Amino acid sequence: MQSETIRDYIRSLFGNDEEISFAQQQIKHNEMPSISIAPLYGRLLTMCAKMINAKNILELGCLGGVGSIYLARGLSQDGKVISLEAKEKHAQVARETIRGCTLEGKIEVIVGDALTTMSELEEQQIIFDLIFIDANKSNYPAFLEQALALSKPGTIIAADNTLSRGKVIDQTDKSEETQAIRTFNRMALSDNRLEATLLPSADGFVLARVND
Ligand SMILES: C[S@@+](CC[C@H](N)C(=O)[O-])C[C@H]1O[C@@H](n2cnc3c(N)ncnc32)[C@H](O)[C@@H]1O
Ligand SMILES: [Mg+2]
């Protein structure tokens, strides 16, 4: 059976999601790229956050706030999502979208390079229960190291686009981005600080837990 058909079937089970549809419309309206997290992984992030009763969540790469909304849905009552975004325009669109949704006040978007902001968060000794990596691919290995520095035993670290549209298995592809994703996958799946797997649906998704 075509994977496209399976995807449509799964989507039909999810039903209408007004908040996510609105966020997607705003992304389109503002001519931003259509690269938000796939709904099946968005839902997985909500579930992960709920399963660990997450209070502090960090997202790398906000775009229009779709991932932030999925993450915030899983927060414990007094929890908060911090989403890091390099582009001022993307952050503005995300903030406007979030302002109108039920999770207003639970998501803070910080503009700047994620690695720099993560170092600042580390200096402030802030520890996260869940970290979602979804910014520029060439920094994925560095993001993982920084994420570990902002973690505790039990922290969930997730990362999107870890198959890079199949480029990871194309031996002729020696681009910086693809090499970085290969390095990231090797690190995540073999580092004994983590228990991890790589889910192959959509564009690939690494799900890891920081070991005790
Ligand atoms: C794939 S999109 C994020 C999608 C979002 N997580 C979601 O699921 O809705 C990647 C975003 O990361 C931002 N970005 C790229 N490199 C970055 C960096 N070094 N620091 C912070 N943001 C970055 C881009 O501007 C873009 O908005
Ligand atoms: Mg992504």
Side-chain angles (χ1 to χ4, degrees):
M1 194 177 283
Q2 295 281 313
S3 59
E4 197 74 14
T5 321
I6 290 288
R7 229 187 348 257
D8 290 346
Y9 168 70
I10 297 170
R11 282 206 182 138
S12 76
L13 297 173
F14 289 163
N16 194 21
D17 188 333
E18 279 178 21
E19 261 173 0
I20 295 295
S21 300
F22 176 68
Q24 296 287 19
Q25 276 166 26
Q26 293 302 102
I27 287 169
K28 204 169 169 188
H29 177 73
N30 286 284
E31 296 172 352
M32 287 153 60
S34 175
I35 50 172
S36 309
I37 180 107
L40 81 167
Y41 289 137
R43 284 176 163 242
L44 183 62
L45 288 174
T46 305
M47 283 174 59
C48 285
K50 283 197 178 182
M51 285 191 281
I52 59 167
N53 211 16
K55 200 171 168 200
N56 283 334
I57 297 181
L58 182 67
E59 178 182 41
L60 317 185
C62 182
L63 190 72
V66 170
S68 311
I69 292 170
Y70 280 118
L71 288 163
R73 284 177 176 171
L75 280 171
S76 64
Q77 233 182 6
D78 52 348
K80 188 177 162 187
V81 174
I82 295 179
S83 187
L84 312 183
E85 174 53 53
K87 292 193 176 160
E88 183 67 51
K89 179 186 166 182
H90 292 185
Q92 261 175 29
V93 171
R95 285 183 189 127
E96 270 165 39
T97 296
I98 292 158
R99 207 167 291 137
C101 88
T102 54
L103 299 154
E104 189 176 352
K106 297 212 162 275
I107 303 167
E108 181 189 356
V109 185
I110 300 179
V111 177
D113 175 66
L115 278 178
T116 309
T117 314
M118 287 172 97
S119 297
E120 289 163 6
L121 293 168
E122 193 187 344
E123 276 165 27
Q124 294 165 48
Q125 297 185 327
I126 301 178
I127 294 295
F128 292 90
D129 303 304
L130 196 162
I131 300 174
F132 173 45
I133 301 171
D134 195 20
N136 62 318
K137 295 190 179 81
S138 45
N139 277 340
Y140 267 42
F143 286 150
L144 182 55
E145 279 302 337
Q146 276 284 1
L148 282 160
L150 295 168
S151 295
K152 60 175 173 44
T155 292
I156 300 285
I157 300 178
D160 196 23
N161 310 105
T162 59
L163 293 178
S164 233
R165 281 173 277 129
K167 290 179 189 166
V168 282
I169 57 164
D170 176 357
Q171 298 310 319
T172 64
D173 191 331
K174 311 259 190 242
S175 67
E176 191 196 343
E177 274 196 359
T178 306
Q179 305 267 39
I181 291 292
R182 289 188 190 117
T183 303
F184 172 86
N185 287 337
R186 264 197 314 274
M187 280 170 72
L189 271 73
S190 64
D191 193 312
N192 56 19
R193 291 173 290 179
L194 294 167
E195 194 66 47
T197 191
L198 199 170
L199 306 171
S201 300
D203 192 25
F205 192 86
V206 161
L207 189 60
R209 176 192 181 275
V210 177
N211 282 328
D212 298 325

Coordinates of all heavy atoms in Angstrom, one line a residue, residues 32-108:
M32 N 5.8 32.0 4.7 CA 6.8 31.2 5.4 C 6.8 29.8 4.9 O 5.8 29.3 4.4 CB 6.6 31.3 6.9 CG 6.9 32.7 7.5 SD 6.0 33.1 9.0 CE 6.5 31.8 10.1
P33 N 8.0 29.1 5.1 CA 8.0 27.7 4.5 C 7.1 26.8 5.3 O 6.8 26.9 6.4 CB 9.5 27.3 4.7 CG 10.0 28.2 5.7 CD 9.3 29.5 5.6
S34 N 6.6 25.8 4.5 CA 5.7 24.8 5.0 C 6.5 23.6 5.6 O 6.5 22.5 5.0 CB 4.7 24.4 3.9 OG 3.9 23.3 4.3
I35 N 7.1 23.9 6.8 CA 8.0 22.9 7.3 C 7.8 22.6 8.8 O 8.7 22.3 9.6 CB 9.5 23.2 7.1 CG1 9.8 24.7 7.5 CG2 9.9 23.0 5.6 CD1 11.3 25.1 7.5
S36 N 6.5 22.8 9.2 CA 6.2 22.6 10.6 C 6.2 21.1 10.9 O 6.1 20.3 9.9 CB 4.7 23.1 10.9 OG 4.6 24.4 10.5
I37 N 6.2 20.7 12.1 CA 6.2 19.3 12.5 C 5.0 18.6 12.0 O 3.9 19.1 11.9 CB 6.3 19.2 14.0 CG1 6.3 17.7 14.5 CG2 5.1 19.9 14.7 CD1 7.6 17.3 15.0
A38 N 5.2 17.3 11.5 CA 4.0 16.5 11.0 C 3.1 16.2 12.2 O 3.6 16.0 13.3 CB 4.6 15.2 10.4
P39 N 1.8 16.2 11.9 CA 0.8 16.0 13.1 C 1.1 14.7 13.9 O 1.0 14.7 15.1 CB -0.5 15.9 12.4 CG -0.4 16.6 11.1 CD 1.1 16.5 10.7
L40 N 1.5 13.6 13.2 CA 1.8 12.4 14.0 C 2.9 12.6 15.0 O 2.8 12.1 16.1 CB 2.0 11.2 13.1 CG 3.3 10.9 12.5 CD1 3.3 9.5 11.9 CD2 3.6 11.9 11.4
Y41 N 3.9 13.4 14.7 CA 5.0 13.6 15.7 C 4.6 14.8 16.6 O 5.1 14.8 17.8 CB 6.3 13.9 14.9 CG 6.9 12.7 14.3 CD1 7.4 12.8 13.0 CD2 6.9 11.5 14.9 CE1 8.0 11.6 12.4 CE2 7.4 10.3 14.3 CZ 8.0 10.4 13.1 OH 8.5 9.3 12.5
G42 N 3.8 15.7 16.1 CA 3.3 16.8 17.0 C 2.5 16.1 18.2 O 2.7 16.4 19.4
R43 N 1.7 15.2 17.8 CA 0.9 14.4 18.9 C 1.8 13.6 19.8 O 1.5 13.5 21.0 CB -0.1 13.5 18.2 CG -1.3 14.3 17.7 CD -2.2 13.4 16.9 NE -3.5 14.1 16.8 CZ -4.6 13.6 17.3 NH1 -4.7 12.5 17.9 NH2 -5.8 14.3 17.2
L44 N 2.9 13.1 19.2 CA 3.8 12.3 20.0 C 4.5 13.2 21.0 O 4.7 12.8 22.2 CB 4.9 11.6 19.1 CG 5.9 10.7 19.8 CD1 5.2 9.5 20.5 CD2 6.9 10.2 18.8
L45 N 4.8 14.4 20.6 CA 5.4 15.4 21.5 C 4.5 15.7 22.7 O 4.9 15.8 23.8 CB 5.9 16.7 20.8 CG 7.1 16.5 19.9 CD1 7.3 17.8 19.1 CD2 8.3 16.2 20.7
T46 N 3.2 16.0 22.3 CA 2.2 16.2 23.4 C 2.2 15.1 24.4 O 2.2 15.3 25.6 CB 0.8 16.4 22.8 OG1 0.9 17.4 21.8 CG2 -0.2 16.8 23.8
M47 N 2.1 13.8 23.8 CA 2.1 12.7 24.7 C 3.3 12.5 25.6 O 3.2 12.2 26.8 CB 2.0 11.4 23.8 CG 0.6 11.2 23.2 SD 0.7 9.8 22.1 CE 1.3 8.5 23.2
C48 N 4.5 12.7 25.0 CA 5.7 12.6 25.8 C 5.7 13.6 26.9 O 6.0 13.3 28.1 CB 7.0 12.9 24.9 SG 7.4 11.6 23.8
A49 N 5.3 14.8 26.6 CA 5.2 15.9 27.7 C 4.3 15.5 28.8 O 4.6 15.6 30.0 CB 4.8 17.2 27.1
K50 N 3.1 14.9 28.4 CA 2.1 14.5 29.4 C 2.7 13.3 30.2 O 2.4 13.2 31.4 CB 0.8 14.1 28.7 CG 0.0 15.3 28.3 CD -1.4 15.0 28.0 CE -2.1 16.3 27.6 NZ -3.6 16.1 27.4
M51 N 3.3 12.4 29.5 CA 3.8 11.2 30.2 C 4.8 11.5 31.3 O 4.9 10.8 32.3 CB 4.4 10.2 29.2 CG 3.3 9.5 28.4 SD 3.9 8.1 27.4 CE 4.6 8.9 26.1
I52 N 5.6 12.6 31.1 CA 6.6 12.9 32.1 C 6.2 14.1 33.0 O 7.0 14.6 33.7 CB 8.0 13.2 31.5 CG1 7.9 14.3 30.5 CG2 8.5 11.9 30.8 CD1 9.3 14.8 30.0
N53 N 4.9 14.5 32.8 CA 4.4 15.7 33.6 C 5.4 16.9 33.4 O 5.8 17.5 34.4 CB 4.4 15.3 35.0 CG 3.3 16.0 35.8 OD1 2.4 16.6 35.1 ND2 3.3 16.0 37.1
A54 N 5.7 17.2 32.1 CA 6.7 18.2 31.8 C 6.4 19.6 32.3 O 5.2 20.1 32.1 CB 7.0 18.2 30.3
K55 N 7.3 20.2 32.9 CA 7.1 21.6 33.4 C 7.9 22.6 32.6 O 7.4 23.7 32.2 CB 7.6 21.7 34.9 CG 7.1 22.8 35.7 CD 7.4 22.7 37.1 CE 7.0 24.1 37.7 NZ 7.6 24.4 38.9
N56 N 9.2 22.2 32.3 CA 10.0 23.1 31.5 C 10.3 22.4 30.1 O 10.9 21.4 30.1 CB 11.4 23.4 32.1 CG 11.2 24.4 33.3 OD1 10.4 25.2 33.3 ND2 12.1 24.3 34.2
I57 N 9.9 23.1 29.0 CA 10.1 22.5 27.7 C 10.9 23.5 26.9 O 10.6 24.7 26.9 CB 8.8 22.1 27.0 CG1 8.0 21.0 27.8 CG2 9.0 21.6 25.6 CD1 6.7 20.6 27.2
L58 N 11.8 23.0 26.1 CA 12.6 23.9 25.2 C 12.4 23.4 23.8 O 12.6 22.2 23.5 CB 14.1 23.8 25.6 CG 15.0 24.7 24.8 CD1 14.8 26.2 25.0 CD2 16.5 24.4 25.1
E59 N 12.2 24.3 22.9 CA 12.1 24.0 21.4 C 13.1 24.8 20.7 O 13.3 26.0 20.9 CB 10.7 24.3 20.9 CG 10.5 24.1 19.4 CD 9.2 24.5 18.8 OE1 8.7 25.5 19.2 OE2 8.6 23.7 18.0
L60 N 13.9 24.1 19.8 CA 14.9 24.8 18.9 C 14.3 24.9 17.6 O 14.1 23.9 16.9 CB 16.2 24.1 18.9 CG 16.7 23.4 20.2 CD1 18.1 22.8 20.0 CD2 16.8 24.5 21.3
G61 N 13.9 26.2 17.1 CA 13.3 26.4 15.8 C 11.8 26.5 16.0 O 11.1 25.5 16.2
C62 N 11.3 27.7 16.0 CA 9.8 27.9 16.3 C 9.0 28.0 15.0 O 7.8 27.6 15.0 CB 9.7 29.2 17.1 SG 8.0 29.6 17.6
L63 N 9.5 28.6 14.0 CA 8.7 28.9 12.8 C 7.4 29.7 13.1 O 7.5 30.7 13.7 CB 8.5 27.7 11.9 CG 8.0 27.9 10.5 CD1 9.0 28.5 9.6 CD2 7.5 26.6 9.9
G64 N 6.3 29.1 12.9 CA 5.0 29.7 13.1 C 4.3 29.2 14.4 O 3.1 29.5 14.6
G65 N 5.0 28.4 15.2 CA 4.4 28.1 16.5 C 3.7 26.7 16.5 O 3.1 26.4 17.6
V66 N 3.6 26.0 15.4 CA 2.9 24.7 15.4 C 3.5 23.7 16.4 O 2.8 23.2 17.3 CB 2.9 24.1 14.0 CG1 2.3 22.7 14.0 CG2 2.1 25.0 13.0
G67 N 4.8 23.6 16.4 CA 5.5 22.6 17.3 C 5.3 23.1 18.8 O 5.0 22.3 19.7
S68 N 5.4 24.4 19.0 CA 5.2 25.0 20.3 C 3.8 24.7 20.9 O 3.7 24.4 22.1 CB 5.4 26.5 20.3 OG 6.5 26.9 19.6
I69 N 2.8 24.8 20.0 CA 1.4 24.5 20.5 C 1.3 23.0 20.9 O 0.8 22.7 22.0 CB 0.4 24.8 19.4 CG1 0.4 26.4 19.2 CG2 -1.0 24.3 19.7 CD1 -0.4 26.8 18.0
Y70 N 1.8 22.1 20.0 CA 1.8 20.7 20.4 C 2.5 20.4 21.7 O 2.0 19.7 22.6 CB 2.4 19.8 19.3 CG 1.6 19.5 18.1 CD1 1.9 19.9 16.9 CD2 0.4 18.8 18.3 CE1 1.1 19.6 15.7 CE2 -0.4 18.5 17.2 CZ 0.0 18.9 15.9 OH -0.8 18.6 14.8
L71 N 3.7 21.1 21.9 CA 4.4 20.9 23.2 C 3.7 21.5 24.4 O 3.5 20.8 25.4 CB 5.8 21.6 23.0 CG 6.8 20.9 22.1 CD1 7.9 21.8 21.8 CD2 7.4 19.6 22.7
A72 N 3.1 22.7 24.2 CA 2.4 23.3 25.3 C 1.2 22.5 25.7 O 0.8 22.6 26.9 CB 2.1 24.8 24.9
R73 N 0.6 21.8 24.8 CA -0.6 21.0 25.1 C -0.3 19.9 26.2 O -1.2 19.4 26.8 CB -1.2 20.4 23.9 CG -2.0 21.3 23.0 CD -2.4 20.6 21.7 NE -3.2 21.5 21.0 CZ -3.6 21.3 19.7 NH1 -3.3 20.2 19.1 NH2 -4.4 22.2 19.1
G74 N 1.0 19.5 26.2 CA 1.3 18.5 27.1 C 1.9 19.0 28.5 O 2.3 18.2 29.3
L75 N 2.0 20.3 28.6 CA 2.6 20.8 29.9 C 1.8 20.5 31.1 O 0.6 20.4 31.1 CB 2.6 22.4 29.7 CG 3.8 23.0 28.9 CD1 3.5 24.5 28.8 CD2 5.1 22.8 29.6
S76 N 2.5 20.4 32.2 CA 1.8 20.4 33.5 C 1.3 21.8 33.8 O 1.6 22.7 33.1 CB 2.7 19.9 34.6 OG 3.8 20.8 34.8
Q77 N 0.4 21.9 34.8 CA -0.4 23.1 35.0 C 0.4 24.4 35.0 O 0.0 25.4 34.3 CB -1.2 23.0 36.3 CG -2.7 23.3 36.0 CD -3.5 23.2 37.2 OE1 -3.0 23.1 38.3 NE2 -4.8 23.3 37.0
D78 N 1.5 24.4 35.8 CA 2.3 25.7 35.8 C 3.5 25.6 34.9 O 4.5 26.3 35.2 CB 2.7 26.0 37.3 CG 3.4 24.8 37.9 OD1 3.4 23.7 37.3 OD2 4.0 24.9 39.0
G79 N 3.5 24.8 33.9 CA 4.6 24.7 33.0 C 4.7 25.7 31.9 O 3.8 26.5 31.7
K80 N 5.9 25.7 31.2 CA 6.1 26.7 30.2 C 7.0 26.1 29.1 O 7.9 25.3 29.3 CB 6.9 27.8 30.9 CG 7.1 29.1 30.0 CD 7.8 30.1 30.8 CE 8.4 31.2 29.9 NZ 9.2 32.2 30.6
V81 N 6.7 26.6 27.9 CA 7.6 26.2 26.7 C 8.4 27.4 26.3 O 7.9 28.5 26.2 CB 6.7 25.8 25.5 CG1 7.6 25.6 24.2 CG2 5.9 24.6 25.7
I82 N 9.7 27.3 26.2 CA 10.5 28.3 25.6 C 10.9 27.9 24.2 O 11.4 26.8 24.0 CB 11.8 28.5 26.5 CG1 11.4 29.1 27.9 CG2 12.8 29.5 25.8 CD1 12.6 29.3 28.8
S83 N 10.6 28.7 23.2 CA 10.9 28.3 21.8 C 12.0 29.3 21.3 O 11.8 30.5 21.4 CB 9.6 28.3 21.0 OG 9.9 27.8 19.7
L84 N 13.0 28.8 20.7 CA 14.1 29.6 20.2 C 14.1 29.8 18.7 O 13.9 28.8 18.0 CB 15.5 29.0 20.6 CG 15.6 28.6 22.1 CD1 17.0 28.0 22.3 CD2 15.3 29.7 23.0
E85 N 14.1 31.0 18.2 CA 13.9 31.2 16.8 C 14.9 32.3 16.3 O 15.0 33.4 16.9 CB 12.5 31.7 16.5 CG 12.2 32.1 15.1 CD 12.6 31.1 14.0 OE1 12.2 29.9 14.1 OE2 13.4 31.5 13.1
A86 N 15.6 32.0 15.2 CA 16.6 32.9 14.7 C 16.0 34.1 14.0 O 16.6 35.2 14.0 CB 17.6 32.1 13.7
K87 N 14.9 33.9 13.3 CA 14.3 35.0 12.5 C 13.2 35.8 13.2 O 12.2 35.2 13.7 CB 13.7 34.4 11.2 CG 14.8 33.8 10.3 CD 14.3 33.5 8.9 CE 15.4 33.0 8.1 NZ 15.0 32.3 6.9
E88 N 13.4 37.1 13.3 CA 12.5 38.0 13.9 C 11.1 37.8 13.4 O 10.1 37.7 14.1 CB 13.0 39.4 13.8 CG 12.2 40.5 14.5 CD 12.2 40.4 16.0 OE1 13.3 40.4 16.5 OE2 11.1 40.4 16.6
K89 N 11.0 37.7 12.0 CA 9.7 37.6 11.4 C 8.9 36.4 11.8 O 7.7 36.4 12.2 CB 9.8 37.7 9.9 CG 8.4 37.5 9.2 CD 8.5 37.4 7.7 CE 7.2 36.9 7.1 NZ 7.2 36.7 5.7
H90 N 9.6 35.2 11.8 CA 9.0 34.0 12.3 C 8.5 34.1 13.7 O 7.4 33.7 14.0 CB 10.0 32.8 12.1 CG 10.3 32.5 10.7 ND1 11.1 31.4 10.4 CD2 10.0 33.1 9.5 CE1 11.3 31.4 9.1 NE2 10.6 32.4 8.5
A91 N 9.3 34.7 14.6 CA 9.0 34.8 16.0 C 7.7 35.7 16.1 O 6.8 35.4 16.9 CB 10.1 35.4 16.7
Q92 N 7.7 36.8 15.3 CA 6.5 37.7 15.4 C 5.2 36.9 15.0 O 4.2 37.1 15.7 CB 6.7 38.8 14.4 CG 7.2 40.1 15.2 CD 7.5 41.2 14.2 OE1 6.9 41.3 13.1 NE2 8.4 42.0 14.5
V93 N 5.3 36.2 13.9 CA 4.1 35.5 13.4 C 3.7 34.4 14.5 O 2.5 34.3 14.8 CB 4.4 34.8 12.0 CG1 3.3 33.9 11.6 CG2 4.6 35.8 11.0
A94 N 4.7 33.7 15.0 CA 4.3 32.7 16.1 C 3.7 33.4 17.3 O 2.7 32.9 17.8 CB 5.6 32.0 16.5
R95 N 4.3 34.5 17.7 CA 3.7 35.2 18.9 C 2.3 35.6 18.6 O 1.4 35.5 19.5 CB 4.5 36.4 19.2 CG 5.9 36.1 19.9 CD 6.6 37.3 20.3 NE 7.9 37.1 20.8 CZ 9.0 37.6 20.3 NH1 8.9 38.5 19.3 NH2 10.2 37.3 20.8
E96 N 2.0 36.2 17.4 CA 0.6 36.6 17.1 C -0.3 35.4 17.1 O -1.5 35.5 17.6 CB 0.6 37.3 15.7 CG 0.8 38.8 15.8 CD 1.2 39.4 14.5 OE1 0.6 38.9 13.5 OE2 2.1 40.2 14.4
T97 N 0.1 34.3 16.5 CA -0.7 33.1 16.5 C -1.0 32.6 17.9 O -2.2 32.3 18.3 CB -0.1 32.0 15.7 OG1 0.1 32.4 14.4 CG2 -0.8 30.7 15.7
I98 N 0.0 32.6 18.7 CA -0.1 32.1 20.1 C -1.0 33.0 20.9 O -1.8 32.5 21.8 CB 1.3 31.9 20.8 CG1 2.1 30.8 20.1 CG2 1.2 31.6 22.3 CD1 3.6 30.8 20.2
R99 N -0.9 34.3 20.7 CA -1.7 35.3 21.4 C -3.2 34.9 21.3 O -4.0 35.1 22.3 CB -1.5 36.7 20.9 CG -1.7 37.8 21.9 CD -1.2 39.1 21.4 NE 0.3 39.1 21.4 CZ 1.0 39.6 20.4 NH1 0.5 40.2 19.4 NH2 2.4 39.6 20.5
G100 N -3.6 34.4 20.2 CA -5.1 34.1 20.0 C -5.5 32.7 20.4 O -6.6 32.4 20.2
C101 N -4.5 31.9 20.9 CA -4.9 30.5 21.2 C -5.0 30.3 22.7 O -4.6 31.1 23.5 CB -4.0 29.6 20.5 SG -2.5 29.1 21.4
T102 N -5.5 29.1 23.1 CA -5.8 28.8 24.5 C -4.5 28.7 25.3 O -4.6 28.7 26.5 CB -6.6 27.5 24.6 OG1 -5.8 26.5 23.9 CG2 -7.9 27.5 24.0
L103 N -3.4 28.6 24.7 CA -2.1 28.4 25.4 C -1.4 29.7 25.6 O -0.2 29.6 26.0 CB -1.3 27.4 24.6 CG -2.0 26.0 24.5 CD1 -1.5 25.2 23.3 CD2 -1.8 25.2 25.8
E104 N -2.0 30.8 25.3 CA -1.4 32.1 25.6 C -0.8 32.2 27.0 O -1.4 31.7 27.9 CB -2.4 33.2 25.4 CG -1.9 34.5 25.3 CD -2.9 35.6 25.1 OE1 -4.0 35.3 24.7 OE2 -2.5 36.8 25.2
G105 N 0.4 32.7 27.1 CA 1.0 32.8 28.4 C 1.9 31.6 28.8 O 2.7 31.6 29.7
K106 N 1.7 30.5 28.0 CA 2.5 29.3 28.3 C 3.7 29.1 27.4 O 4.5 28.2 27.5 CB 1.6 28.1 28.2 CG 0.5 28.1 29.2 CD 0.1 26.7 29.6 CE -0.7 26.7 30.9 NZ 0.1 26.7 32.1
I107 N 3.8 30.0 26.3 CA 4.8 29.8 25.3 C 5.6 31.2 25.2 O 5.0 32.2 25.0 CB 4.3 29.4 23.9 CG1 3.5 28.1 24.0 CG2 5.4 29.3 22.9 CD1 2.6 27.8 22.8
E108 N 6.9 31.1 25.4 CA 7.7 32.3 25.2 C 8.7 32.0 24.0 O 9.3 31.0 24.0 CB 8.6 32.5 26.5 CG 9.5 33.8 26.4 CD 10.5 33.9 27.5 OE1 10.4 33.1 28.5 OE2 11.3 34.8 27.5

